[in-house]
Amino acid sequence: MKTTKQKILHLLIKEAPNALSGEKMGQLLAISRTAIWKGIQSLKDDGYGIVSQGKNGYALPYLPIDEAKIRQQLKTHFLGQKMQVFPTIPSTNVFAKEEAQQKPENGKVYLAEEQTLGRGRLGRVWSSPKGKTIALSMVLTPEIPPMEASKLTQIVAAAFVEATKNIADVQIKWPNDIVINGKKLCGILTEISAELTQIHYVVIGIGINTNLSFEEMPPDIQEKATSLLQVLGKEIDPNHLIASFLTTFEKYYAAFIATGNYQPTLQICRQHSAVIGKEIYVIQQDSKRLAKAVDIDEKGQLLVQFENEKKTTPIFAGEVS
Ligand code: BTN
């Protein structure tokens, strides 16, 4: 049974990004305008970015994340069967890890319309302004050796390529970034809790720049990053992308866990690599070395040929630029 507040939210989500008057909402829900006003205030307190638009009423001025809409399109067996959507949260990865520490729920998905302390790799900040990006974290409990966990990042990247193939020509910048024309569209943060031989849980966080305009990006990333809005010239429905990504990811992930089959992922990662064949810098601990990216091997490692070397060296983790 939905509360009045949830019903108001549902009406605003259905109407978004357009406004709905207090009077109209009152009629639709058969309640007073004062009750509508109270509900709106309470939703604002919860962190929903509702704006008042004078006599036009109230609006969510962006395309909101809507669990019901995601479910209509989601074709998964376990992934996202449990889902939690936050209007605002410090970080979905941090929250997911806190819950997983108590009880890891395989396939649980956390989504947020805004993160106030979004985390990137290597202690960096990840910007997720309200209604402009997708912040998604998923908890997995794969029975694979911890050394294999980095393959999960590659499965995410491959699933993202598949899920967006009809709308954009994206490439994978090994190991964690999705780029368009060299600019970052999406970042993946894989965090693992494990013993030497056993994984307790993995939290994979994905940040996708969906409807973020150039002006809305922090100045220091404007030249390095992009968004689907900037590439396509129009807003995209985050719910469709979320459902499509989760459905595709589960397909590749389940096959990998059941049979160890990593080939489909490897094929996509190779075909859509932004680095293979290019000169890159390999950044590891304190060193930054020039190399040529040659291939990705069966373990998901990047094979590189360092400057002045004939042999190829597999890189398990690190950063390339
Ligand atoms: C990177 O490129 O450095 C990784 C960025 C990962 C960002 C996502 S957004 C959802 C999840 N929550 C976080 O705080 N970070 C990840």
Side-chain angles (χ1 to χ4, degrees), residues 232-304:
L232 305 175
K234 60 173 188 196
E235 295 210 324
I236 66 129
D237 181 352
N239 303 300
H240 180 70
L241 179 55
I242 293 165
S244 161
F245 166 73
L246 291 174
T247 303
T248 315
F249 175 77
E250 188 189 276
K251 189 176 77 183
Y252 291 131
Y253 173 79
F256 170 62
I257 296 300
T259 65
N261 186 1
Y262 181 56
Q263 286 308 314
T265 291
L266 198 52
Q267 209 176 339
I268 294 174
C269 289
R270 282 174 171 154
Q271 268 171 9
H272 295 268
S273 170
V275 296
I276 292 177
K278 303 241 172 78
E279 297 256 291
I280 54 167
Y281 281 102
V282 177
I283 305 159
Q284 287 177 310
Q285 282 102 36
D286 292 334
S287 76
K288 182 175 178 178
R289 294 174 70 189
L290 187 64
K292 185 174 176 197
V294 178
D295 198 1
I296 298 171
D297 72 8
E298 303 284 321
K299 294 182 180 156
Q301 305 175 115
L302 186 69
L303 298 179
V304 303

Side-chain angles (χ1 to χ4, degrees), residues 42-315:
S42 177
L43 285 166
K44 282 186 183 174
D45 291 345
D46 289 348
Y48 288 96
I50 299 170
V51 292
S52 309
Q53 296 189 341
K55 64 176 173 23
N56 289 337
Y58 305 99
L60 280 169
Y62 49 82
L63 291 171
I65 294 177
D66 177 4
E67 186 176 338
K69 224 169 168 186
I70 297 172
R71 294 212 174 282
Q72 276 166 16
Q73 302 171 52
L74 191 66
K75 295 189 198 81
T76 58
H77 294 103
F78 79 99
L79 190 60
Q81 294 307 315
K82 274 205 176 164
M83 197 181 284
Q84 219 170 331
V85 182
F86 299 91
T88 183
I89 194 169
S91 156
T92 52
N93 256 41
V94 171
F95 189 88
K97 281 195 297 179
E98 280 166 6
E99 281 213 344
Q101 252 154 36
Q102 305 300 318
K103 181 174 172 266
E105 292 189 81
N106 191 32
K108 183 157 180 189
V109 169
Y110 303 82
L111 288 154
E113 297 201 319
E114 173 189 54
Q115 291 186 125
T116 50
L117 283 173
R119 296 171 61 239
R121 289 178 70 221
L122 310 170
R124 295 186 189 125
V125 169
W126 182 262
S127 166
S128 318
K130 192 178 292 292
K132 304 290 172 179
T133 69
I134 295 172
L136 182 157
S137 296
M138 49 192 183
V139 174
L140 301 168
T141 55
E143 290 181 12
I144 55 171
M147 284 294 286
E148 299 253 301
S150 64
K151 287 184 178 171
L152 302 178
T153 308
Q154 304 305 305
I155 300 177
V156 169
F160 188 85
V161 171
E162 269 296 289
T164 52
K165 71 175 178 205
N166 293 331
I167 55 169
D169 191 10
V170 304
Q171 288 192 305
I172 302 167
K173 187 170 157 218
W174 187 96
N176 292 71
D177 293 349
I178 304 288
V179 296
I180 298 187
N181 299 329
K183 287 184 160 196
K184 184 155 167 174
L185 175 74
C186 162
I188 306 163
L189 176 64
T190 303
E191 302 191 270
I192 165 169
S193 164
E195 286 166 42
L196 268 181
T197 55
Q198 194 200 349
I199 291 180
H200 300 311
Y201 61 83
V202 181
V203 170
I204 309 184
I206 301 144
I208 310 167
N209 295 334
T210 43
N211 296 325
L212 196 60
S213 70
F214 182 80
E215 295 73 28
E216 286 160 340
M217 284 183 159
D220 59 317
I221 62 162
Q222 277 174 340
E223 296 309 323
K224 292 183 268 183
T226 190
S227 71
L228 287 170
L229 170 71
Q230 290 172 46
V231 172
L232 305 175
K234 60 173 188 196
E235 295 210 324
I236 66 129
D237 181 352
N239 303 300
H240 180 70
L241 179 55
I242 293 165
S244 161
F245 166 73
L246 291 174
T247 303
T248 315
F249 175 77
E250 188 189 276
K251 189 176 77 183
Y252 291 131
Y253 173 79
F256 170 62
I257 296 300
T259 65
N261 186 1
Y262 181 56
Q263 286 308 314
T265 291
L266 198 52
Q267 209 176 339
I268 294 174
C269 289
R270 282 174 171 154
Q271 268 171 9
H272 295 268
S273 170
V275 296
I276 292 177
K278 303 241 172 78
E279 297 256 291
I280 54 167
Y281 281 102
V282 177
I283 305 159
Q284 287 177 310
Q285 282 102 36
D286 292 334
S287 76
K288 182 175 178 178
R289 294 174 70 189
L290 187 64
K292 185 174 176 197
V294 178
D295 198 1
I296 298 171
D297 72 8
E298 303 284 321
K299 294 182 180 156
Q301 305 175 115
L302 186 69
L303 298 179
V304 303
Q305 209 167 8
F306 283 112
E307 199 181 20
N308 303 325
E309 281 184 11
K310 282 228 165 65
K311 65 173 175 42
T312 55
T313 307
I315 309 288

